[in-house]
Amino acid sequence: MAAAATSCGPRAGAPGCVVAAAGKDSVTSFQRRGPRASGPDGGCRRLASIAGTRPSVRNGQLLVSTGLPALDQLLGGGLAVGTLLLIEEDKYNIYSPLLFKYFLAEGIINGHTLLVASAKEDPAEILQELPAPLLNDNCKKEVDEDVCSHKTPESNIKMKIAWRYQLLPKMEVGPISSSIFGHYYDASKRIPQELIEASKWHGFFLPEKISSTLSVESCSLTHGYRSLLHFIQNIICEEGFDGSNPQKKEKNVLRIGIQNLGSPLWGDDICCTENCNNSQSLTKFLYVLRGLLRTSLSACIITVPTHLIQNKAVIARVTNLSDTVVGLESFIGSERETNPLYQEYHGLIHVRQIPRLNNLIGDVSDVKDLAFKLRRKLFTIEK
């Protein structure tokens, strides 16, 4: 009270001044002690939020959407910034490219910077094939029509044997008006050209990076992996995603997408023989890449043909070096394709690993029986 009174000047002894100062600085039991919210007179300003991100309710980690809200729900709200999402490709590589494109399309909608790397397709062509977002008011109507058009008479019959499955919570299928995190996309349409031209992206096409004269270095990384790491590191440093060179404009997130990593197109032979010469090349690449992600505002998605890798030890190391691992199992060419129990679905999705960030124990997905289907417009995940 004495300190408050002296701040009033010569009339510090006046009771009115003391009461006013006490009323200004007093804190009730219902008010939080600490600096005030950001304002013109406040000395502390709140951190500006980044478009397309939100904090995790579990550990406070900054999250971005994978472009598939149902997958965000399975991963605990989204993909954490600074982590690596590994997609195990399906046998015929039909459905894994969809998840890859959803991730990139979500970045364009939110204004994030993209880095697309591939040894098979030109990154510019990949961007042209991204699905169109459902942003208008007719979004809910289009989703409902797409769901109803794929219902069969058998699906309306409730099986008495499986009565307990009716009590399970359903996965999020259609858009929710109150949600601004994550968007839905129409797989039958392509993203508008105006959005691609307004976006900022960097492409890495391996055939264009290979030179005729390659210098032999004492490094176990293949030339493709080494060139890609240098390319990613330069983008992170030059554009200030690591904090060394502060971004001039508002803070942004770098979305990295690498397609068909580990395939022979990248110069790796882990898919060709069990005892390959470069068995450590892919694991060392992931180790260095994850170090770059941890120290920057970036998130990465990688598709790997794990079904072609013959050495199971390599698969185990690749899984351990990834933060999140999601596997796709297609019914094409398998016995389940003709099984009546799976006639409404196109494959199974396996959440094999969830990142362990700021936790003493690791998170484990509580859902094991997940199937996916590709409708005319939507890619959905259901229990």
Side-chain angles (χ1 to χ4, degrees), residues 71 74-75 85-89 306-307 315 319-320 322-330 348-356 363-365 367-368 370:
L71 183 58
L74 293 174
L75 301 182
L85 170 60
L86 174 66
I87 301 294
E88 297 180 355
E89 297 178 1
T306 54
H307 60 282
I315 299 179
T319 301
N320 293 332
S322 304
D323 298 301
T324 307
V325 180
V326 176
L328 297 179
E329 179 185 353
S330 174
L348 300 177
I349 184 168
H350 308 281
V351 182
R352 307 192 188 280
Q353 185 172 297
I354 296 179
R356 302 172 176 87
D363 292 334
V364 179
S365 177
V367 182
K368 303 297 182 182
L370 293 171

Side-chain angles (χ1 to χ4, degrees), residues 103-176:
F103 178 81
L104 298 178
E106 184 68 20
I108 289 182
I109 297 302
N110 292 303
H112 297 166
T113 304
L114 301 184
L115 193 158
V116 186
S118 176
K120 181 180 178 180
E121 301 179 66
D122 193 333
E125 297 179 359
I126 295 178
L127 295 182
Q128 296 294 333
E129 297 176 354
L130 297 183
L134 297 174
L135 299 176
N136 52 12
D137 297 335
N138 297 328
C139 177
K140 180 67 176 178
K141 180 180 179 181
E142 292 183 5
V143 172
D144 292 340
E145 292 177 354
D146 189 36
V147 172
C148 295
S149 63
H150 283 76
K151 283 188 176 181
T152 59
E154 293 80 2
S155 62
N156 297 326
I157 301 176
K158 298 181 178 180
M159 298 177 60
K160 296 182 179 180
I161 300 177
W163 61 271
R164 65 184 184 91
Y165 292 105
Q166 301 175 14
L167 303 178
L168 291 176
K170 296 184 179 296
M171 296 296 298
E172 185 179 338
V173 177
I176 298 179

Side-chain angles (χ1 to χ4, degrees), residues 61-83:
Q61 186 76 18
L62 192 65
L63 302 177
V64 295
S65 175
T66 61
L68 195 61
L71 183 58
D72 293 339
Q73 184 179 352
L74 293 174
L75 301 182
L79 180 63
V81 173
T83 61

Side-chain angles (χ1 to χ4, degrees), residues 123-278:
E125 297 179 359
I126 295 178
L127 295 182
Q128 296 294 333
E129 297 176 354
L130 297 183
L134 297 174
L135 299 176
N136 52 12
D137 297 335
N138 297 328
C139 177
K140 180 67 176 178
K141 180 180 179 181
E142 292 183 5
V143 172
D144 292 340
E145 292 177 354
D146 189 36
V147 172
C148 295
S149 63
H150 283 76
K151 283 188 176 181
T152 59
E154 293 80 2
S155 62
N156 297 326
I157 301 176
K158 298 181 178 180
M159 298 177 60
K160 296 182 179 180
I161 300 177
W163 61 271
R164 65 184 184 91
Y165 292 105
Q166 301 175 14
L167 303 178
L168 291 176
K170 296 184 179 296
M171 296 296 298
E172 185 179 338
V173 177
I176 298 179
S177 58
S178 61
S179 176
I180 58 175
F181 182 84
H183 299 83
Y184 292 83
Y185 298 89
D186 187 349
S188 63
K189 299 180 181 179
R190 295 292 174 258
I191 192 170
Q193 187 66 27
E194 297 80 14
L195 295 179
I196 299 179
E197 295 176 355
S199 63
K200 186 176 183 180
W201 62 277
H202 306 274
F204 181 92
F205 190 36
L206 183 61
E208 297 178 353
K209 303 295 181 180
I210 297 178
S211 59
S212 57
T213 58
L214 297 179
S215 59
V216 180
E217 302 179 9
S218 58
C219 179
S220 59
L221 289 175
T222 63
H223 174 72
Y225 293 161
R226 189 166 59 250
S227 301
L228 180 56
L229 283 176
H230 288 316
F231 184 79
I232 296 175
Q233 185 179 19
N234 291 336
I235 296 299
I236 290 178
C237 295
E238 292 176 359
E239 301 196 7
F241 291 104
D242 59 348
S244 60
N245 183 19
Q247 300 173 0
K248 298 180 180 179
K249 299 181 180 180
E250 297 181 356
K251 286 189 176 182
N252 202 352
V253 174
L254 175 65
R255 286 177 177 252
I256 304 174
I258 307 175
Q259 197 175 42
N260 304 122
L261 194 70
S263 65
L265 296 174
W266 286 96
D268 204 336
D269 56 353
I270 58 174
C271 296
C272 303
T273 177
E274 184 174 357
N275 299 320
C276 54
N277 298 326
N278 298 325

Side-chain angles (χ1 to χ4, degrees), residues 41-101:
D41 299 332
C44 178
R45 293 183 177 274
R46 181 179 298 176
L47 292 176
S49 60
I50 303 176
T53 64
R54 70 179 178 187
S56 171
V57 296
R58 295 185 177 183
N59 49 32
Q61 186 76 18
L62 192 65
L63 302 177
V64 295
S65 175
T66 61
L68 195 61
L71 183 58
D72 293 339
Q73 184 179 352
L74 293 174
L75 301 182
L79 180 63
V81 173
T83 61
L84 170 65
L85 170 60
L86 174 66
I87 301 294
E88 297 180 355
E89 297 178 1
D90 53 289
K91 194 172 182 180
Y92 295 98
N93 197 26
I94 298 177
Y95 302 103
S96 54
L98 290 176
L99 301 185
F100 184 81
K101 294 175 182 178

